[in-house]
Amino acid sequence: MKKIAICPGSFDPITNGHLDIIERGSKLFDEIRVVLLNNQQKQPFFTIQERLQLIQEVTKHIKNIQVDVHSGLLVEYAEKVQACAVIRGLRAVSDFEYEMQITAVNKKLKDELETVFIMANTAYSFISSSIVKEVASYGGDLSGLIPNVVQTAFEKKFK
Ligand code: ADP
């Protein structure tokens, strides 16, 4: 049976840090599903449609990938696509507590679903979607930290 892993997130927007985790994850599993979680509690900067398009654009070189949007529990999505694992990126100790909490909840909801952590590339370990939004809002140079299409999307928004 195909081993499918899910890479969930809000990707608001996708950064080179996310992309690095997705690329590395795609080499470990037969298929990767990037799941854009439509989380009602967060007020996003980019719309779902914009985020989806950006992810599709920057991951088109990866062959064993599919990008989806999901509203609701991650375990429901995992069930639907028969995924065996969730891939998360770990940047620093500060990520650990939150990740431990959601891993434990997902395990409680679906015991067979394993969470696999990939250590962030040190070149990107300081990047988050929030920090890139802040820098972009002041017109700062984000080259090398976000894909070019994301840079263009910021320029359009801030025009
Ligand atoms: P969430 O709101 O679920 O944390 P994000 O879009 O912020 O969604 O992040 C999705 C995943 O990508 C998380 O596992 C997060 O730790 C990871 N991630 C975010 N930024 C980076 C980065 N710079 N390097 C590696 N992993 C990252």
Side-chain angles (χ1 to χ4, degrees), residues 133-144:
K133 279 180 277 196
E134 191 165 345
V135 175
S137 73
Y138 295 109
D141 179 16
L142 287 164
S143 51

Side-chain angles (χ1 to χ4, degrees), residues 4-72:
I4 301 175
I6 310 173
C7 279
S10 14
F11 304 103
D12 187 30
I14 188 162
T15 66
N16 283 352
H18 290 128
L19 191 54
D20 180 63
I21 297 295
I22 295 168
E23 282 170 350
R24 288 159 66 197
S26 73
K27 292 177 189 148
L28 301 176
F29 290 88
D30 298 317
E31 190 179 322
I32 289 285
R33 299 272 187 141
V34 175
V35 194
L36 181 44
L37 294 173
N38 199 0
N39 187 339
Q40 307 294 338
Q41 277 155 22
K42 283 189 187 171
Q43 190 56 45
F45 180 77
F46 288 103
T47 65
I48 274 283
Q49 212 46 44
E50 288 167 333
R51 283 180 277 158
L52 180 67
Q53 264 175 16
L54 290 172
I55 301 172
Q56 281 169 336
E57 179 71 25
V58 304
T59 58
K60 61 182 184 207
H61 61 289
I62 304 171
K63 295 289 164 256
N64 55 340
I65 198 169
Q66 189 168 318
V67 187
D68 282 332
V69 175
H70 179 71
S71 315

Side-chain angles (χ1 to χ4, degrees), residues 7-21 24 36-37 39 42 87-91 95 98-99 102 117-121 123-130 145:
C7 279
S10 14
F11 304 103
D12 187 30
I14 188 162
T15 66
N16 283 352
H18 290 128
L19 191 54
D20 180 63
I21 297 295
R24 288 159 66 197
L36 181 44
L37 294 173
N39 187 339
K42 283 189 187 171
I87 296 177
R88 299 284 292 177
L90 268 189
R91 285 162 291 190
D95 276 344
Y98 173 67
E99 294 296 338
I102 40 172
F117 293 97
I118 298 184
M119 285 307 291
N121 185 322
Y124 306 129
S125 59
F126 61 96
I127 319 171
S128 64
S129 296
S130 335
L145 304 183

